[in-house]
Amino acid sequence: MYNQETNALTVGLIRGRHPLPVDEYIFDNAIEDVHDYKAIHDHILAFLQEKVGMRQAIGQGINQNDYTNINIYRNIYRGAKKLVVYVTGLTPVTAELIAACAYNGVFLTLMNYNTATGEYVAQEIF
């Protein structure tokens, strides 16, 4: 769900793992192989392109040792959309989400479940 007031897109990470207070998910189905990091990463990049506005552009990559232009993904709305994700505890998928957002300049907040209070707590990553 996109909130125009806060400029944030709020979604769940994986549908069906836990009840989450969202209507939209990055992964609508269970992940068959949680160790297929490339497939997970590619799926997250596709989601970022479609929902957050990531586009391929020419530029320099993170930690690149020269000024050669290469194809990179860039958030064309840089800072205009924040991504808030209710996570489900599946660490490899959460790690790929953080890496993709870090690499592509997406502002990310994770919503983690607090078992003591029964509420979600925001963890601002970037």
Side-chain angles (χ1 to χ4, degrees), residues 83-85 97-98 101 106-110 123-126:
L83 185 60
V84 178
V85 180
L97 172 67
I98 293 169
C101 289
V106 175
F107 292 100
L108 175 65
T109 298
L110 299 179
Q123 179 185 15
E124 191 171 310
I125 305 299
F126 329 102

Side-chain angles (χ1 to χ4, degrees), residues 1-56:
M1 168 175 57
Y2 179 69
N3 182 327
Q4 195 169 6
E5 222 173 88
T6 62
N7 228 8
L9 176 64
T10 301
V11 298
L13 187 56
I14 305 168
R15 184 183 301 276
R17 283 187 49 86
H18 302 287
L20 301 175
V22 297
D23 297 324
E24 188 174 5
Y25 292 82
I26 295 174
F27 290 88
D28 279 322
N29 302 309
I31 297 170
E32 290 181 27
D33 182 0
V34 297
H35 299 292
D36 187 350
Y37 306 124
K38 180 175 177 359
I40 292 168
H41 184 80
D42 290 348
H43 184 90
I44 291 170
L45 273 182
F47 177 86
L48 292 175
Q49 288 174 25
E50 180 183 338
K51 300 292 184 173
V52 181
M54 297 296 307
R55 296 292 181 261
Q56 204 170 43

Side-chain angles (χ1 to χ4, degrees), residues 85-117:
V85 180
Y86 284 80
V87 293
T88 59
L90 197 54
T91 305
V93 181
T94 303
E96 287 297 333
L97 172 67
I98 293 169
C101 289
Y103 185 76
N104 293 294
V106 175
F107 292 100
L108 175 65
T109 298
L110 299 179
M111 299 300 291
N112 300 292
Y113 187 72
N114 183 333
T115 56
T117 65

